[in-house]
């Protein structure tokens, strides 16, 4: 589910640099195609996802005002060589979609180069290469975007090859930055986020006509606050953050001790020290170290030993595990979300067992949830909240009926009736089960519907005691909400504005008959999986990899290594994997 893409900002109608003249230092300019001048600079454009949502505004490739090339143009031979290469797709890229985008983009400018001049890479090409080389800042791998520079005295054919290699590398970067480096369904059929794949011709137009090509390409990365916070911590764990220095080796530092390395440790973790004794390993810093150790898969004792120092200084311990890999894997999953999460939206983060509601960029409600067990995991998705059912009946899914209800019926014929479950014999000789609306109903008194292929939703529950547990994975896949009337009041007022809904008003609807309430204003529900997050205090916090999704993300990214071990202890057992 996505909101419409941001309105495109017009690029300045300045001439477009097409290279340099034979002397190598005078810009050659060509008029930018009319549509190309309207391209937005840094904001990526994506085609509409295949869900029932408003389609993002498409950014047209410059195709209606081709650039005329004079016969005496010094770059005409390069343009001819580019045309020849594009006529043989297999020599440029294996992606049919990228090939089509290249042909459309370069065809609109008579195959004139954008990134090279007669002496090699021009200023725009160098700006793109600079962004590709800095891909590690966003958790991407610069090795995926390597472009060999043209050799001195390069021919027109050599320059054409370089031009298209830069273009293909830019397309690959934009796709990776915006939508991720693999199809999430490779993890599980229950991992079904809505990704926005950028259009190749639009990517090239954006980079070619932006005032700052480096920034335009970087703009394909997520802009979400959670992503930006992880990016900042990625710089910390790799030692690249400005002002962050390595913490020297030495003896263990235990809580309550004093050590000259404490100021460097405070800088690394962003914890302010006490003015009278900045060398003290005080409780606030101990808590920050424990949170860091938990995120790094080190036993959170607060004792700073060799493994903790290695993680702080390099993001990797002698055991081969990597906090850096965990941060990158979580950054990758931010790429699976729509760039526009919605003016109002609901976000369930499975590893935190929390649901939050946002409006105008601010959190307005947070509460605990129960999610699916590892053997019946809650799916990842983005869909629209459309309606609410008060006093829901529960039509029990066949798998639950087969595995739970039939054995119970055989052992105690009256057990189901005592729970308000009706057994109905269908025409094929089988049975279906339905639990009527009541306080005992497994869905409680209210459910919140965002139709999806997995038939999951948010709902009340009669099993209130489970919300007091820290690890709340007990459901068959749906999400149970703590204090549903408080949650419902916020949802009703977002979906039915100006109707002045209260908990008491919702409660008056409770009864024995189902009641459907359609929302006038719909908004997205995002069910996500971030087991490494930056908390409200700005510290990195980690949660159990409940379904093994983080481990599988690292594997598919080539980041998996041996498990991290605690200082002087045995390694932890691996997290369960989704089924």
């Amino acid at each position: 589910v996505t909101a419409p893409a941001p309105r495109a900002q017009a690029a300045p109608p300045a001439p477009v640099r097409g290279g340099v003249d034979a002397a190598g230092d005078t810009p050659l300019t060509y008029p930018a195609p009319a549509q190309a001048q309207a391209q937005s600079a840094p904001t990526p454009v994506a085609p509409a996802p295949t869900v029932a949502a408003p389609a993002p505004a498409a950014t047209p490739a410059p195709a209606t005002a081709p650039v005329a090339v004079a016969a005496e143009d010094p770059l005409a031979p390069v343009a001819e060589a580019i045309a020849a290469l594009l006529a043989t797709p297999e020599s440029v890229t294996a992606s049919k979609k990228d090939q089509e985008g290249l042909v459309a983009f370069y065809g609109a400018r008579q195959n004139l180069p954008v990134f090279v001049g007669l002496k090699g890479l021009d200023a725009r090409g160098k700006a793109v290469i600079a962004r590709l080389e800095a891909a590690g800042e966003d958790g991407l791998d610069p090795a995926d975007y390597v472009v060999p520079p043209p050799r001195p005295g390069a021919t027109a054919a050599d320059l054409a090859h370089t031009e298209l290699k830069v273009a293909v590398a830019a397309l690959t970067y934009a796709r990776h930055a915006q939508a991720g480096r693999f199809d999430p369904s490779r993890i599980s059929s229950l991992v079904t986020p809505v990704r926005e794949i950028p259009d190749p011709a639009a990517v090239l137009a954006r980079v070619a006509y932006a005032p700052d090509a480096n920034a335009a390409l970087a703009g394909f990365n997520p802009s979400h606050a959670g992503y930006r916070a992880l990016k900042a911590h990625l710089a910390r764990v790799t030692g690249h953050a400005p002002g962050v220095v390595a913490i020297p080796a030495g003896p263990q530092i235990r809580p309550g001790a004093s050590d000259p390395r404490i100021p460097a440790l405070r800088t690394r973790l962003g914890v302010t020290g006490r003015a009278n004794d900045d060398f003290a390993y005080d409780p606030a810093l101990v808590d920050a170290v424990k949170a860091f150790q938990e995120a790094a898969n080190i036993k959170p004792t607060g004792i700073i030993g060799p493994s903790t120092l290695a993680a702080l200084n390099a993001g990797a311990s002698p055991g081969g595990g990597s906090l850096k890999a965990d941060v990158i894997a979580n950054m990758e999953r931010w790429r699976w979300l729509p760039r526009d999460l919605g003016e109002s939206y609901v976000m369930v983060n499975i590893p935190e067992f929390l649901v939050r509601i946002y409006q105008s960029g601010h959190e307005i409600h947070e509460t605990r949830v129960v999610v699916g067990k590892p053997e019946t995991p809650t799916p990842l998705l983005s869909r629209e909240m459309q309606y609410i059912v008060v006093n829901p009946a529960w039509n029990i899914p066949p798998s639950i009926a087969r595995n739970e209800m039939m054995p119970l019926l055989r052992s105690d014929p009256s057990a189901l009736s005592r729970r308000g479950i009706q057994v109905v014999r269908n025409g094929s000789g089988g049975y279906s089960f339905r639990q009527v609306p009541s306080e005992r109903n497994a869905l409680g008194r209210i459910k919140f519907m965002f139709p999806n292929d997995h038939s999951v939703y948010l709902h009340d529950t009669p099993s209130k005691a489970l919300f007091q547990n820290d690890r709340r994975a007990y459901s068959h896949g749906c999400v149970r909400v703590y204090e549903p009337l408080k949650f419902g009041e916020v949802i009703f007022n977002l979906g039915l504005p100006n109707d002045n809904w209260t908990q008491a008003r919702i409660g008056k609807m409770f009864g024995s008959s189902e009641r459907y309430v359609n929302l006038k204003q719909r908004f997205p529900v995002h069910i996500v999986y971030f087991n490494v997050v930056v908390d409200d205090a700005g510290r990195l916090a980690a949660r159990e990899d409940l379904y093994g999704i983080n481990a599988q993300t690292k594997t598919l990214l080539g980041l998996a290594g041996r498990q991290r071990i605690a200082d002087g202890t045995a390694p932890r057992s691996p997290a369960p994997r989704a089924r």
Side-chain angles (χ1 to χ4, degrees):
V1 175
T2 61
R7 183 177 299 171
Q9 298 177 352
V16 178
R17 179 181 172 120
V20 296
D21 68 5
D25 54 10
T26 303
L28 294 174
T29 59
Y30 305 93
Q35 287 188 330
Q37 292 178 359
Q39 300 298 324
S40 169
T43 307
V45 175
T50 57
V51 296
T59 301
T64 60
V67 178
V69 181
E72 64 275 10
D73 191 322
L75 286 174
V78 180
E80 292 175 2
I82 290 173
L85 287 171
L86 291 176
T88 55
E90 65 279 358
S91 67
V92 178
T93 175
S95 167
K96 182 179 179 181
K97 188 172 182 180
D98 282 358
Q99 171 68 14
E100 292 172 350
L102 289 165
V103 169
F105 172 74
Y106 282 101
R109 46 183 294 116
Q110 296 295 295
N111 298 308
L112 280 168
V114 176
F115 307 114
V116 301
L118 295 180
K119 288 191 173 182
L121 291 170
D122 63 11
R124 188 168 295 273
K126 291 176 181 177
V128 169
I129 294 299
R131 173 45 41 199
L132 300 179
E133 291 176 344
E137 295 175 359
D138 284 281
L140 301 173
D141 187 351
D144 291 335
Y145 322 109
V146 173
V147 178
R151 63 180 184 273
T155 65
D158 294 332
L159 293 172
H161 275 285
T162 299
E163 170 73 21
L164 293 180
K165 286 182 183 297
V166 173
V168 171
L171 290 177
T172 304
Y173 179 98
R175 183 171 62 254
H176 287 177
Q178 181 160 308
R181 284 169 277 181
F182 63 86
D183 182 350
S185 65
R186 292 175 61 188
I187 292 177
S188 164
S189 60
L190 295 177
V191 180
T192 57
V194 176
R195 297 189 301 156
E196 298 176 347
I197 311 295
D199 176 71
V203 170
L204 292 173
R206 183 90 18 123
V207 175
Y209 303 120
D212 185 342
N214 187 317
L217 201 52
F220 286 93
N221 289 288
S223 59
H224 308 126
Y227 175 89
R228 296 198 309 269
L230 287 175
K231 179 179 177 179
H233 273 271
L234 177 63
R236 290 183 181 276
V237 300
T238 54
H240 294 159
V244 175
V245 296
I247 300 169
Q252 284 187 341
I253 308 175
R254 293 180 172 271
S258 181
D259 192 285
R261 293 171 289 173
I262 292 298
L265 183 63
R266 291 188 184 281
T267 300
R268 177 57 56 90
L269 296 178
V271 179
T272 304
R274 297 182 298 185
N276 60 338
D277 189 0
D278 198 40
F279 288 175
Y281 190 20
D282 58 30
L285 185 56
V286 171
D287 288 343
V289 168
K290 287 180 178 179
F292 178 88
Q293 289 172 326
E294 182 68 26
N297 205 18
I298 295 171
K299 187 176 181 180
T301 61
I303 299 171
I304 303 169
S307 292
T308 300
L309 281 174
L312 287 163
N313 287 334
S317 74
S322 176
L323 171 61
K324 175 181 175 182
D326 289 319
V327 172
I328 290 173
N330 279 267
M331 290 172 69
E332 184 77 5
R333 291 194 292 279
W334 275 106
R335 305 182 197 281
W336 300 350
L337 286 171
R339 285 300 179 266
D340 187 346
L341 297 175
E343 171 64 20
S344 301
Y345 64 92
V346 176
M347 181 172 283
V348 178
N349 188 16
I350 294 169
E352 287 188 293
F353 308 106
L354 290 174
V355 60
R356 299 176 176 93
I357 305 176
Y358 295 86
Q359 185 176 34
S360 302
H362 301 285
E363 181 184 314
I364 60 174
H365 187 77
E366 175 185 302
T367 193
R368 284 167 275 177
V369 296
V370 168
V371 301
K373 296 174 286 188
E375 58 268 28
T376 56
T378 298
L380 276 61
L381 53 82
S382 289
R383 297 294 186 271
E384 275 190 342
M385 182 79 76
Q386 297 186 12
Y387 63 96
I388 298 164
V389 182
V390 183
N391 309 314
W394 183 33
N395 296 306
I396 300 173
S399 61
I400 299 177
R402 180 175 57 254
N403 298 328
E404 300 180 23
M405 299 304 164
M406 289 301 292
L408 187 62
L409 183 62
R410 284 192 289 266
S411 64
D412 182 357
S414 64
L416 298 184
S417 61
R418 291 198 305 270
R419 301 182 184 188
I421 298 176
Q422 300 172 340
V423 183
V424 181
R425 188 177 182 90
N426 56 41
S428 61
Y431 294 89
S432 62
F433 297 82
R434 181 178 185 272
Q435 189 175 32
V436 299
S438 72
E439 291 183 353
R440 297 174 298 172
N441 189 286
L443 306 183
R445 285 297 193 178
I446 190 167
K447 66 177 180 178
F448 307 88
M449 302 299 292
F450 41 98
N452 58 82
D453 293 340
H454 306 290
S455 299
V456 298
Y457 38 84
L458 293 157
H459 66 87
D460 181 19
T461 176
S463 304
K464 311 293 187 184
L466 296 178
F467 290 109
Q468 305 310 313
N469 298 339
D470 290 332
R471 188 182 189 273
R472 298 187 290 276
Y474 302 105
S475 83
H476 291 93
C478 287
V479 179
R480 306 174 191 172
V481 182
Y482 183 59
E483 296 182 324
L485 282 178
K486 288 184 179 180
F487 180 82
E489 179 179 307
V490 180
I491 295 295
F492 269 85
N493 283 305
L494 287 177
L496 297 166
N498 305 318
D499 281 2
N500 299 316
W501 285 91
T502 63
Q503 296 178 53
R505 181 180 174 185
I506 298 170
K508 289 180 180 178
M509 301 172 68
F510 290 173
S512 58
S513 300
E514 287 188 311
R515 299 183 65 176
Y516 286 72
V517 181
N518 292 317
L519 300 181
K520 295 178 182 178
Q521 293 188 8
R522 298 176 176 181
F523 43 86
V525 176
H526 307 290
I527 301 182
V528 299
Y529 194 97
F530 299 120
N531 69 313
V532 175
V533 298
V534 178
D535 65 19
D536 293 338
R539 297 175 302 201
L540 206 63
R543 301 290 185 272
E544 177 190 356
D545 188 8
L546 183 66
Y547 302 154
I549 288 176
N550 193 64
Q552 293 177 76
T553 302
K554 290 191 292 184
T555 296
L556 289 168
L557 292 176
L559 300 173
R562 288 177 296 165
Q563 272 211 306
R564 190 175 275 296
I565 59 172
D567 288 328
T569 65
R572 294 182 178 186
S573 58
R577 289 185 177 270
R579 299 181 184 178

